[in-house]
């Protein structure tokens, strides 16, 4: 059984994992805008740092954590995974998580915006909530 704890962690107590398979976090502007508008919707996942008590190694959520900092947040909701206590377990988890993620197609994204519009969201509100431009 996995031991997990949900807590709020200061961003400065989180270390980005050096073996993160996603080397390029990409442009974080839209994600930071979305976080400013609606907050971080999904907690990041960390493991206790092996060499620094009270600090954490970031396992999932490198983009969210970076964008949260850009958005001016000083702390973030995190799930602490005590079972990810070796470099091998951490890398395996990061690879699995990244390999299983599928992005929305442009059509799926447009359908989501259309559904929000049908529910009464004006384009400005959709843009603000998603961090996307009105265009």
């Amino acid at each position: 059984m996995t031991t997990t704890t949900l807590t709020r962690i200061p961003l400065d107590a989180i270390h980005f994992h050096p073996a993160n398979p996603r080397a390029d976090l990409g442009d974080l502007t839209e994600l930071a805008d979305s976080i400013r508008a609606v907050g971080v919707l999904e907690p990041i996942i960390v493991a206790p740092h092996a060499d620094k008590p009270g600090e954490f190694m970031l396992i999932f959520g490198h983009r969210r954590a970076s964008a949260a900092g850009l958005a001016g947040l000083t702390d973030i909701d995190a799930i602490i995974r005590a079972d990810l206590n070796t470099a091998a377990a951490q890398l395996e988890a990061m690879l699995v998580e990244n390999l299983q993620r599928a992005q929305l197609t442009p059509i799926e994204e447009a359908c989501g915006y259309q559904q929000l519009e049908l529910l009464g969201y004006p384009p400005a509100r959709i843009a603000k909530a998603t961090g996307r431009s009105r265009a």
Side-chain angles (χ1 to χ4, degrees):
M1 179 170 225
T2 302
T3 303
T4 62
T5 305
L6 176 62
T7 190
R8 196 131 180 103
I9 296 176
L11 285 171
D12 62 7
I14 299 169
H15 299 266
F16 279 49
H17 203 290
N20 181 18
R22 184 183 298 276
D24 181 5
L25 298 181
D27 182 6
L28 299 172
T29 306
E30 289 180 350
L31 183 54
D33 289 345
S34 174
I35 289 171
R36 277 187 209 94
V38 297
V40 178
L41 299 178
E42 184 176 341
I44 62 170
I45 297 181
V46 298
H49 197 293
D51 301 325
K52 298 179 180 181
E55 297 187 18
F56 302 90
M57 187 63 69
L58 184 57
I59 308 298
F60 306 138
H62 289 77
R63 285 180 45 82
R64 278 173 278 154
S66 293
L70 288 175
L73 275 61
T74 58
D75 53 9
I76 191 168
D77 285 337
I79 296 172
I80 301 171
R81 291 276 307 266
D83 62 314
L84 298 177
N85 56 2
T86 67
Q90 293 169 359
L91 181 56
E92 177 185 340
M94 287 187 292
L95 278 171
V96 168
E97 194 261 348
N98 279 290
L99 291 171
Q100 299 306 318
R101 180 185 302 126
Q103 299 296 328
L104 291 176
T105 67
I107 297 296
E108 291 168 330
E109 186 175 350
C111 286
Y113 298 149
Q114 182 181 30
Q115 298 224 9
L116 285 174
E117 194 170 40
L118 291 172
L119 292 170
Y121 276 47
R125 184 172 176 191
I126 294 170
K128 184 176 181 182
T130 61
R132 299 285 196 185
S133 72
R134 284 186 62 172

